């Protein structure tokens, strides 16, 4: 069950989207989700302003040369893509806007909830699954393209990342890092190609 700071109307909507959602008060420590201005946001205790993804970010991703789309084989009619490390979902929704049939997998419940809410706000036909992508691929999957984007590659810059990335880095601090074993699993499941973004 996911605890979310929200009103009764938002609670009804979130239960329809996410399943079992519990209405909570802001905790004294750690991270929590809050529903505000029709968007689900990630908050850290003690910080009044949370972080989320604005729909404009998807449009910005598509405003120039969409290199990810080219790497995945777009334009391609009926192209089925699995974003196996969904994160906040901007890449998945950008691919969907360009005509791909996209499924997204995210293993962190709070990120998955943010992703489901972004899909709702975007009106996108994208499926988001709360699961470990390695386990999913071990059971077998059938896609044209499997996209792998580890969220936190090694940093080369000394400056702190933006607030949203700082939040996500803290939220996922205890999560297992990128497992290279997922690459051969993805290669077995992808009919066309595996796209690995690792900078």
């Amino acid at each position: 069950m996911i605890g979310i700071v929200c009103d009764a109307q938002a609670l009804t909507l979130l239960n329809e989207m996410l399943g079992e959602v519990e209405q909570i008060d802001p905790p004294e420590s750690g991270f929590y989700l809050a529903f505000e201005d029709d968007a689900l946001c990630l908050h850290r205790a003690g910080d009044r302003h949370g972080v989320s993804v604005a729909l404009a970010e998807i449009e910005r991703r598509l405003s120039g040369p969409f290199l990810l789309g080219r790497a995945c084989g777009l334009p391609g009619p009926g192209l089925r893509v699995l974003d196996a490390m969904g994160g906040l979902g901007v890449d998945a929704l950008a691919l969907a806007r360009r005509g791909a049939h996209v499924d997204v997998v995210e293993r962190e419940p709070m990120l998955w909830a943010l992703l489901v809410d972004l899909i709702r706000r975007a009106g996108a036909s994208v499926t988001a699954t709360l699961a470990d992508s390695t386990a999913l691929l071990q059971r077998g999957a059938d896609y044209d393209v499997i996209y792998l984007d580890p969220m936190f590659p090694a940093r080369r810059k000394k400056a702190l990342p933006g607030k949203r990335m700082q939040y996500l880095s803290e939220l996922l601090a205890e999560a297992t890092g990128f497992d290279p074993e997922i690459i051969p699993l993805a290669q077995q499941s992808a009919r066309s190609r595996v796209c690995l973004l690792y900078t």
Side-chain angles (χ1 to χ4, degrees):
M1 180 175 290
I2 299 175
I4 299 177
V5 177
C6 59
D7 59 25
Q9 183 177 359
L11 184 67
T12 300
L13 173 64
L14 293 167
N15 267 305
E16 291 174 359
M17 291 165 37
L18 305 174
E20 292 187 48
V21 174
E22 180 183 7
Q23 189 174 9
I24 63 170
D25 294 323
E28 295 182 359
S29 63
F31 288 93
Y32 65 95
L33 296 173
F35 196 75
E36 53 190 55
D37 297 327
D38 194 43
L40 201 57
C41 300
L42 177 66
H43 284 255
R44 182 170 55 192
D47 193 340
R48 290 177 56 195
H49 302 289
V51 297
S52 63
V53 175
L55 295 179
E57 293 183 50
I58 302 166
E59 301 306 323
R60 283 196 296 272
R61 185 68 54 90
L62 295 170
S63 62
F66 187 41
L67 300 181
L68 174 60
R70 188 181 306 170
C72 288
L74 290 173
L79 192 71
R80 296 188 67 241
V81 179
L82 173 67
D83 183 345
M85 300 174 174
L88 292 170
V90 176
D91 288 337
L93 268 70
L95 288 167
R97 286 272 175 95
R98 284 294 171 88
H101 300 288
V102 183
D103 291 339
V104 192
V105 176
E106 174 52 51
R107 65 183 177 182
E108 209 297 316
M110 286 191 180
L111 287 188
W112 171 77
L114 292 170
L115 172 59
V116 172
D117 183 63
L118 179 64
I119 292 168
R120 173 193 66 86
R121 288 186 284 126
S125 296
V126 173
T127 301
T129 302
L130 177 62
D132 180 272
S133 53
T134 299
L136 184 146
L137 291 173
Q138 286 172 339
R139 294 194 298 269
D142 185 21
Y143 291 91
D144 298 306
V145 179
I146 296 179
Y147 173 47
L148 305 173
D149 177 13
M151 188 172 289
F152 298 108
R155 284 183 53 79
R156 297 181 179 88
K157 299 178 182 177
K158 293 183 180 179
L160 282 173
K163 176 178 176 179
R164 188 167 71 190
M165 292 306 289
Q166 290 181 51
Y167 272 27
L168 297 182
S169 180
E170 291 178 39
L171 177 67
L172 301 173
E174 296 181 4
T176 305
F178 177 69
D179 182 0
E181 291 300 316
I182 196 173
I183 297 175
L185 287 172
Q187 290 172 324
Q188 293 169 17
S189 300
R191 286 194 294 265
S192 175
R193 66 188 78 181
V194 174
C195 292
L196 173 62
L197 179 63
Y198 197 72
T199 56

